[in-house]
Amino acid sequence: MVDLSQYLPILLFLGVALALSTAFVFLPMLVARLTGAHQPNEQKLSEYECGFPAFEDPRSQFDVRFYLVAILFIIFDLEAAFLYPWAVSVFSLGWTAWFSMMIFIGELALGLVYAWKKGALDWE
Protein backbone atom coordinates (compact mmCIF):
# COMPACT_ATOMS: atom_id res chain seq x y z
CA MET A 1 0.00 0.00 0.00
CA VAL A 2 1.25 3.48 -0.86
CA ASP A 3 1.80 5.93 1.97
CA LEU A 4 0.09 9.16 0.86
CA SER A 5 1.18 11.11 3.93
CA GLN A 6 4.40 12.00 2.10
CA TYR A 7 2.36 14.23 -0.20
CA LEU A 8 0.89 16.27 2.64
CA PRO A 9 3.63 18.99 2.62
CA ILE A 10 3.17 19.43 -1.15
CA LEU A 11 -0.60 19.73 -0.77
CA LEU A 12 -0.16 22.23 2.05
CA PHE A 13 2.25 24.26 -0.07
CA LEU A 14 -0.18 24.27 -3.01
CA GLY A 15 -3.05 25.25 -0.70
CA VAL A 16 -1.13 28.16 0.80
CA ALA A 17 0.02 29.29 -2.66
CA LEU A 18 -3.55 29.16 -3.98
CA ALA A 19 -4.91 31.04 -0.96
CA LEU A 20 -2.23 33.75 -1.17
CA SER A 21 -2.59 34.25 -4.91
CA THR A 22 -6.37 34.47 -4.59
CA ALA A 23 -6.00 36.98 -1.74
CA PHE A 24 -3.52 39.10 -3.72
CA VAL A 25 -5.94 39.26 -6.65
CA PHE A 26 -9.29 39.78 -4.97
CA LEU A 27 -8.42 41.55 -1.70
CA PRO A 28 -7.34 44.86 -3.36
CA MET A 29 -10.57 44.89 -5.39
CA LEU A 30 -12.63 44.30 -2.25
CA VAL A 31 -10.78 47.01 -0.31
CA ALA A 32 -11.27 49.48 -3.19
CA ARG A 33 -15.01 48.84 -3.21
CA LEU A 34 -15.30 49.14 0.57
CA THR A 35 -13.25 52.35 0.84
CA GLY A 36 -14.94 54.07 -2.07
CA ALA A 37 -11.85 54.17 -4.29
CA HIS A 38 -13.73 52.26 -7.01
CA GLN A 39 -15.46 55.10 -8.82
CA PRO A 40 -14.76 54.72 -12.53
CA ASN A 41 -15.24 57.83 -14.63
CA GLU A 42 -14.17 59.01 -18.06
CA GLN A 43 -10.83 60.37 -16.83
CA LYS A 44 -9.88 57.14 -15.03
CA LEU A 45 -10.78 54.99 -18.01
CA SER A 46 -8.88 57.08 -20.58
CA GLU A 47 -5.56 56.14 -22.19
CA TYR A 48 -2.55 56.67 -19.97
CA GLU A 49 0.38 55.09 -21.80
CA CYS A 50 1.38 58.19 -23.77
CA GLY A 51 -0.90 60.90 -22.44
CA PHE A 52 -3.12 61.34 -25.49
CA PRO A 53 -5.66 59.14 -27.31
CA ALA A 54 -4.37 56.67 -29.86
CA PHE A 55 -4.28 57.79 -33.49
CA GLU A 56 -5.50 54.51 -34.90
CA ASP A 57 -6.89 51.13 -33.88
CA PRO A 58 -4.60 49.46 -31.31
CA ARG A 59 -5.19 46.10 -33.02
CA SER A 60 -3.60 47.25 -36.28
CA GLN A 61 -1.12 44.89 -37.88
CA PHE A 62 2.60 45.55 -37.80
CA ASP A 63 4.80 45.21 -40.82
CA VAL A 64 6.48 41.82 -41.09
CA ARG A 65 9.87 43.56 -41.28
CA PHE A 66 9.39 44.72 -37.70
CA TYR A 67 9.20 41.11 -36.54
CA LEU A 68 12.18 40.15 -38.69
CA VAL A 69 14.33 42.90 -37.17
CA ALA A 70 13.13 41.88 -33.68
CA ILE A 71 14.12 38.24 -34.29
CA LEU A 72 17.53 39.30 -35.62
CA PHE A 73 18.01 41.48 -32.54
CA ILE A 74 17.18 38.55 -30.25
CA ILE A 75 19.62 36.28 -32.10
CA PHE A 76 22.51 38.73 -31.78
CA ASP A 77 21.54 39.57 -28.21
CA LEU A 78 21.79 35.88 -27.34
CA GLU A 79 25.18 35.81 -29.01
CA ALA A 80 26.35 38.40 -26.50
CA ALA A 81 24.91 36.27 -23.70
CA PHE A 82 27.09 33.36 -24.87
CA LEU A 83 30.17 35.53 -25.26
CA TYR A 84 30.34 36.79 -21.67
CA PRO A 85 30.79 33.42 -19.89
CA TRP A 86 33.12 32.28 -22.65
CA ALA A 87 35.29 35.38 -22.27
CA VAL A 88 35.57 34.83 -18.53
CA SER A 89 36.67 31.21 -18.84
CA VAL A 90 38.49 31.11 -22.20
CA PHE A 91 41.99 31.04 -20.71
CA SER A 92 41.22 28.06 -18.50
CA LEU A 93 39.42 26.13 -21.27
CA GLY A 94 42.21 26.22 -23.83
CA TRP A 95 42.39 26.43 -27.59
CA THR A 96 39.43 24.12 -28.21
CA ALA A 97 37.07 26.63 -26.62
CA TRP A 98 38.62 29.46 -28.60
CA PHE A 99 38.24 27.66 -31.95
CA SER A 100 34.68 26.60 -31.07
CA MET A 101 33.67 30.19 -30.33
CA MET A 102 35.34 31.46 -33.50
CA ILE A 103 33.28 28.93 -35.50
CA PHE A 104 30.14 30.11 -33.67
CA ILE A 105 30.91 33.78 -34.36
CA GLY A 106 31.71 32.94 -37.98
CA GLU A 107 28.33 31.24 -38.42
CA LEU A 108 26.58 34.25 -36.92
CA ALA A 109 28.55 36.59 -39.19
CA LEU A 110 27.51 34.52 -42.21
CA GLY A 111 23.90 34.77 -41.04
CA LEU A 112 24.22 38.54 -40.69
CA VAL A 113 25.74 38.86 -44.18
CA TYR A 114 22.93 36.70 -45.59
CA ALA A 115 20.24 38.81 -43.89
CA TRP A 116 21.96 41.99 -45.07
CA LYS A 117 22.16 40.78 -48.68
CA LYS A 118 18.49 39.72 -48.62
CA GLY A 119 17.55 43.23 -47.47
CA ALA A 120 16.20 42.17 -44.08
CA LEU A 121 17.86 45.14 -42.39
CA ASP A 122 16.64 47.76 -44.90
CA TRP A 123 13.80 49.86 -43.57
CA GLU A 124 11.88 51.74 -46.22
Side-chain angles (χ1 to χ4, degrees):
M1 180 150 211
V2 178
D3 185 20
L4 296 178
S5 65
Q6 295 174 349
Y7 293 105
L8 184 61
I10 296 172
L11 289 175
L12 286 174
F13 179 76
L14 288 175
V16 168
L18 183 64
L20 283 175
S21 62
T22 304
F24 285 146
V25 170
F26 293 111
L27 196 59
M29 290 189 283
L30 179 66
V31 168
R33 292 212 185 251
L34 293 176
T35 61
H38 179 73
Q39 296 173 355
N41 57 25
E42 186 178 342
Q43 181 117 12
K44 281 187 178 181
L45 297 176
S46 66
E47 296 86 4
Y48 58 89
E49 287 90 4
C50 58
F52 53 87
F55 294 123
E56 56 188 42
D57 184 26
R59 293 181 196 93
S60 64
Q61 293 182 348
F62 284 98
D63 192 1
V64 175
R65 289 176 291 184
F66 172 77
Y67 296 110
L68 183 60
V69 170
I71 288 172
L72 288 172
F73 172 75
I74 289 172
I75 289 171
F76 289 105
D77 192 42
L78 287 176
E79 173 194 359
F82 284 125
L83 281 175
Y84 286 122
W86 171 80
V88 169
S89 61
V90 68
F91 294 116
S92 63
L93 295 175
W95 287 102
T96 305
W98 190 84
F99 284 120
S100 299
M101 186 54 75
M102 292 305 114
I103 291 171
F104 176 68
I105 292 173
E107 289 174 353
L108 283 172
L110 283 174
L112 178 63
V113 168
Y114 176 77
W116 198 329
K117 293 287 184 187
K118 284 291 189 178
L121 301 176
D122 294 336
W123 198 267
E124 298 170 0

